[in-house]
Amino acid sequence: MKEGKLNEQEVVDITHHQAVNAPSAVLSVSPVIISAPERGEDIQLRVSAPITGNQLPVIIFAHGYGSSLDGYAPLVNFWAANGFVVIQPTFLDSRTLALSPEDPRTPLIWKFRVEDMKQILDNLDFIEDSVLGLKGRLDRDRIAAVGHSFGSQTTGMLLGARIIAPDGSLGEDMSDPRIKAGILLTPAGKGGKDLSPFAAEHYPFMNPSYAEMTTPALVIAGDKDISPLTIRGWDWFTDAYTLSPGADWLVTLFDGEHLLGGISGYLVTETSDENPERVAAVQQLSLAYLRSALYPEDSSWATARKEFNERSNPIGKIEGK
């Protein structure tokens, strides 16, 4: 990738599960610490970047509930090796911080998450200075947000989604115009009567309105993702696509469960649907989507869609509005 432009040799080959352009070596640094006294804990980051290249686009990544900056290596390493700078915070719900349920911050963890992501954007100069060799290499005009599970709610709010309060009013707009595109991996669907009794009692913030999510986005879900958080089936995880004017594409992975084959880490025991082919699909399709979303002249997403939908042994399908 040179000077923020992609050439024809840099399209993605879904059929063979690898990028046509040779991946770059990656530098990964952690923890990079952002002071956040109002949060009660400094924000710890992992920053992963290719060791060569300039005008590099940026992904800020929101982990799922309980994870940390050390998670999701199958995605983060792949994106960085293919030309993105990936920034991963550890949120307050991380098991590594062991925040007590009685902690006064706990009910607002969802909001702290969104504010953490914005603080990252506010501190890009500091992040560049903290990682040897990164100074001056970020493209501030090409920033995307990606999240998985709880992280998808975080990402969705940065793209314009809002929280519906118990009284039915619409919560504050926490969107950020610096983010030009997003990917929501298994995002929670509608709240209210669609929630299970347990979720309604313990997660009152899980009541999104996607009508205001106008930033372009890709949604990825698995058709075997059955959650205790909802009384509905797997289609609950497609609401962000169905109900949002910004989410223009939906990938459904056949037999995919909540971790989409194992995106949360290499050899993690929490993966119940381990499937390297499914992980490769998430890697390739997310990369292709972001390339085309951030570089409108790039055809990676069109190429990826065509090849994925025309597979002789389909592992999923792609739909668009």
Side-chain angles (χ1 to χ4, degrees):
M1 187 181 299
K2 296 180 181 179
E3 298 303 320
K5 294 184 178 180
L6 300 166
N7 58 45
E8 292 179 355
Q9 282 69 48
E10 291 179 314
V11 299
V12 174
D13 185 346
I14 294 295
T15 305
H16 297 96
H17 305 295
Q18 61 184 1
V20 173
N21 57 306
S24 301
V26 170
L27 172 69
S28 187
V29 177
S30 71
V32 174
I33 305 295
I34 296 177
S35 177
E38 72 288 344
R39 183 181 186 258
E41 299 274 351
D42 290 339
I43 303 174
Q44 300 181 43
L45 308 176
R46 176 178 294 278
V47 181
S48 302
I51 62 173
T52 61
N54 294 304
Q55 288 295 103
L56 300 173
V58 178
I59 295 171
I60 54 173
F61 182 81
H63 65 69
Y65 185 86
S67 189
S68 73
L69 58 77
D70 292 318
Y72 298 90
L75 296 182
V76 173
N77 293 348
F78 182 83
W79 293 329
N82 282 279
F84 282 81
V85 175
V86 187
I87 305 174
Q88 301 171 263
T90 290
F91 296 120
L92 289 176
D93 55 85
S94 174
R95 290 184 293 270
T96 63
L97 298 181
L99 205 68
S100 165
E102 287 73 40
D103 190 289
R105 293 169 291 178
T106 297
L108 292 176
I109 275 181
W110 63 271
K111 188 173 183 180
F112 279 109
R113 280 172 151 261
V114 182
E115 292 171 347
D116 289 352
M117 296 283 267
K118 290 188 173 190
Q119 284 212 57
I120 290 172
L121 297 178
D122 293 341
N123 284 275
L124 288 178
D125 286 342
F126 172 78
I127 292 169
E128 281 193 8
D129 289 338
S130 300
V131 178
L132 184 65
L134 193 60
K135 182 68 174 177
R137 297 174 60 207
L138 303 187
D139 187 341
R140 308 298 181 89
D141 294 324
R142 291 185 171 91
I143 300 175
V146 182
H148 173 243
S149 192
F150 194 11
S152 281
Q153 175 173 311
T154 307
T155 298
M157 295 190 70
L158 292 167
L159 304 182
R162 310 271 281 274
I163 298 296
I164 301 173
D167 64 2
S169 63
L170 203 57
E172 68 177 299
D173 178 3
M174 299 186 72
S175 62
D176 196 306
R178 292 172 290 186
I179 296 172
K180 307 305 182 186
I183 298 179
L184 278 60
L185 305 169
T186 66
K190 291 194 298 183
K193 60 182 177 55
D194 288 355
L195 293 180
S196 66
F198 174 84
E201 178 183 355
H202 292 89
Y203 307 120
F205 56 83
M206 195 174 288
N207 194 13
S209 170
Y210 288 113
E212 297 75 28
M213 196 176 88
T214 56
T215 304
L218 167 68
V219 175
I220 302 181
D223 69 3
K224 292 293 189 295
D225 190 355
I226 306 302
S227 173
L229 300 176
T230 180
I231 61 173
R232 286 170 52 192
W234 72 272
D235 66 301
W236 186 64
F237 292 100
T238 67
D239 283 354
Y241 168 74
T242 305
L243 302 175
S244 163
D248 45 3
W249 295 100
L250 170 67
V251 174
T252 302
L253 295 175
F254 301 152
D255 296 322
E257 298 181 18
H258 201 58
L259 293 180
L260 301 174
I263 62 170
S264 64
Y266 297 114
L267 304 176
V268 292
T269 57
E270 62 188 354
T271 300
S272 57
D273 67 327
E274 185 177 355
N275 186 301
E277 189 177 29
R278 198 170 295 132
V279 173
V282 177
Q283 292 172 325
Q284 301 285 348
L285 293 173
S286 62
L287 175 67
Y289 176 80
L290 291 179
R291 281 179 161 176
S292 294
L294 297 177
Y295 301 87
E297 72 280 7
D298 179 75
S299 61
S300 292
W301 180 234
T303 302
R305 295 198 317 269
K306 183 176 185 294
E307 294 183 354
F308 189 79
N309 281 333
E310 292 179 355
R311 286 174 57 109
S312 58
N313 56 334
I315 63 169
K317 63 179 180 179
I318 301 175
E319 306 168 64
K321 294 178 180 174

